[in-house]
Amino acid sequence: MNHEDPVLLHTEGRIRHLTLNRPRALNALNHTMVLRMAEALDAAERDDSVAAVLLTGAGERGLCAGGDIRAIRDDALAGGGTALDFWRDEYRLNARIARFSKPYVAIMDGIVMGGGVGVSAHGSIRIVTERSRIAMPETGIGFVPDVGGTYLLGRAPGELGTHLALTGAAVGAADALLCGLADHFVPSRELPGLIAALDLCTTPSDVAAAVRRYAGTATGGELAAQRGWIGPCYGAGTVEEIVERLGDCGEPAAKEAAATILAKSPTALKVTLEAVRRARSLDRLEAVLDQEFRVSSTAFTRPDLVEGVRAQIVDKDRNPRWDPAALTEVTDADVERFFAPLGDGELGLDAPAAP
């Protein structure tokens, strides 16, 4: 095992370990990592000696902070297309994880955002800890939740997913469990014991039983108590009306949410609301990923993604100049363009099977 590899692979007993290994970049995903993970899953599925796959992140800060958005910005500025190739393979990996035939155990400890959600929250056994901070923060960089994020958020109870999608808010363990982004809470101090127990497992049922032995009850959730205002406010038909309801409902947390939303890209907000609502009507993750690829491909050509990454990651002035600058300037036609078919450029994950 080369410890410089961006994805470390090794086997303990019948458990194939995949470790994201860019700790200085908070294990942000690049194209090499995506391809390496896909190859590893193919090999693990073919290998009868492998009972399950375990995904972890190197370092102490988190599983994965998302995709390498600085590289995506550089590609957009250069007029390239490598970002589209990356997304194409990343979304295929997300679908691959969801359909993996053996237990796929993801330890979502620490920061798990964007692409990190994509490689963990579609797994069959998703574990959070008291250190977990899970988010789809794309609207803050002029982008839209992807990697199957609109599928996951669209299926959260009530309008909780809409709230998380528009604000980009990070949630802890209890709220991740409530929203269906995770399955089990395990205290971080118990992770070494859990991993050691998993390494002794020989069957999928052993894996499930080992996780249950270490699982506990997550506390400190906030969203359950906020559903009384989240539902009515985010049930509105437009982002403008959502913001108005949040400001008028009298809850301090709702007013904070309104202010948070108004700092995001107006175009990204309107496209995100439409994407989450359309995702609810799509039965399969693959169909949602096809939709997300259309959205991402269009966002790649729009000015807000480049500007958002500049403001948040490159210059870090936290003062993006969105174009258009106001929600009222984003028309329905502007939004609809993000969902237009791509012709030969479609991702095609949900294409009908050949006769």
Side-chain angles (χ1 to χ4, degrees):
M1 180 171 60
N2 183 351
H3 292 281
E4 298 300 316
D5 284 346
V7 179
L8 302 179
L9 306 175
H10 77 281
T11 302
E12 296 288 343
R14 298 192 64 193
I15 307 302
R16 184 67 49 83
H17 290 242
L18 278 65
T19 303
L20 305 181
N21 188 39
R22 295 182 68 208
R24 286 181 291 181
L26 240 171
N27 300 321
L29 294 174
N30 58 32
H31 204 165
T32 298
M33 296 168 74
V34 165
L35 295 175
R36 190 74 54 84
M37 288 186 69
E39 292 170 0
L41 291 184
D42 287 344
E45 196 153 46
R46 293 191 302 265
D47 190 341
D48 291 339
S49 71
V50 174
V53 165
L54 174 64
L55 178 71
T56 57
E60 300 296 324
R61 298 168 61 198
L63 174 67
C64 176
D68 190 344
I69 57 176
R70 184 188 289 263
I72 291 170
R73 177 180 186 267
D74 291 344
D75 187 38
L77 287 171
T82 58
L84 301 184
D85 295 333
F86 167 68
W87 284 326
R88 189 180 296 275
D89 287 327
E90 184 183 25
Y91 298 176
R92 286 172 175 160
L93 174 63
N94 302 143
R96 182 80 178 84
I97 290 168
R99 306 301 176 216
F100 193 61
S101 62
K102 301 177 181 181
Y104 180 100
V105 184
I107 296 185
M108 303 167 72
D109 187 33
I111 293 173
V112 186
M113 295 185 177
V117 174
V119 296
S120 59
H122 297 300
S124 54
I125 300 177
R126 305 162 301 171
I127 296 166
V128 286
T129 76
E130 78 284 355
R131 301 187 299 205
S132 296
R133 299 300 295 167
I134 300 171
M136 297 298 295
E138 286 78 6
T139 55
I141 58 165
F143 197 48
V144 177
D146 65 338
V147 298
T150 61
Y151 179 88
L152 295 165
L153 295 175
R155 283 154 178 76
E159 295 292 340
L160 295 180
T162 309
H163 170 64
L164 297 182
L166 295 182
T167 62
V171 296
D175 288 332
L177 292 164
L178 172 64
C179 291
L181 301 174
D183 305 301
H184 303 280
F185 170 78
V186 175
S188 60
R189 68 179 181 276
E190 300 288 352
L191 291 179
L194 170 61
I195 293 171
L198 289 171
D199 288 341
L200 297 175
C201 293
T202 60
T203 67
S205 60
D206 289 344
V207 171
V211 172
R212 287 195 299 270
R213 285 200 306 273
Y214 282 85
T217 301
T219 60
E222 300 176 357
L223 292 179
Q226 296 175 348
R227 291 187 67 179
W229 59 264
I230 285 176
C233 291
Y234 287 95
T238 66
V239 178
E240 291 94 327
E241 189 176 355
I242 288 171
V243 171
E244 182 178 356
R245 291 186 185 185
L246 288 169
D248 291 344
C249 84
E251 291 285 345
K255 293 183 184 297
E256 291 176 11
T260 297
I261 290 170
L262 289 174
K264 312 297 184 184
S265 158
T267 300
L269 289 168
K270 288 201 168 184
V271 175
T272 293
L273 181 63
E274 182 68 14
V276 170
R277 291 187 170 169
R278 291 192 185 201
R280 288 174 178 165
S281 67
L282 297 173
D283 293 335
R284 286 167 44 84
L285 171 63
E286 287 82 357
V288 177
L289 288 165
D290 282 349
Q291 173 178 280
E292 290 179 349
F293 188 73
R294 297 180 197 114
V295 170
S296 298
S297 297
T298 301
F300 182 69
T301 68
R302 305 295 299 157
D304 277 4
L305 176 57
V306 167
E307 173 62 9
V309 177
R310 178 206 66 77
Q312 299 296 334
I313 303 299
V314 179
D315 297 337
K316 299 182 181 179
D317 59 22
R318 308 292 192 267
N319 186 32
R321 295 178 289 275
W322 304 123
D323 181 17
L327 287 166
T328 54
E329 297 173 10
V330 182
T331 68
D332 291 344
D334 293 333
V335 173
E336 191 61 35
R337 290 188 190 100
F338 283 77
F339 298 89
L342 299 175
D344 292 341
E346 287 282 339
L347 181 59
L349 277 174
D350 202 43

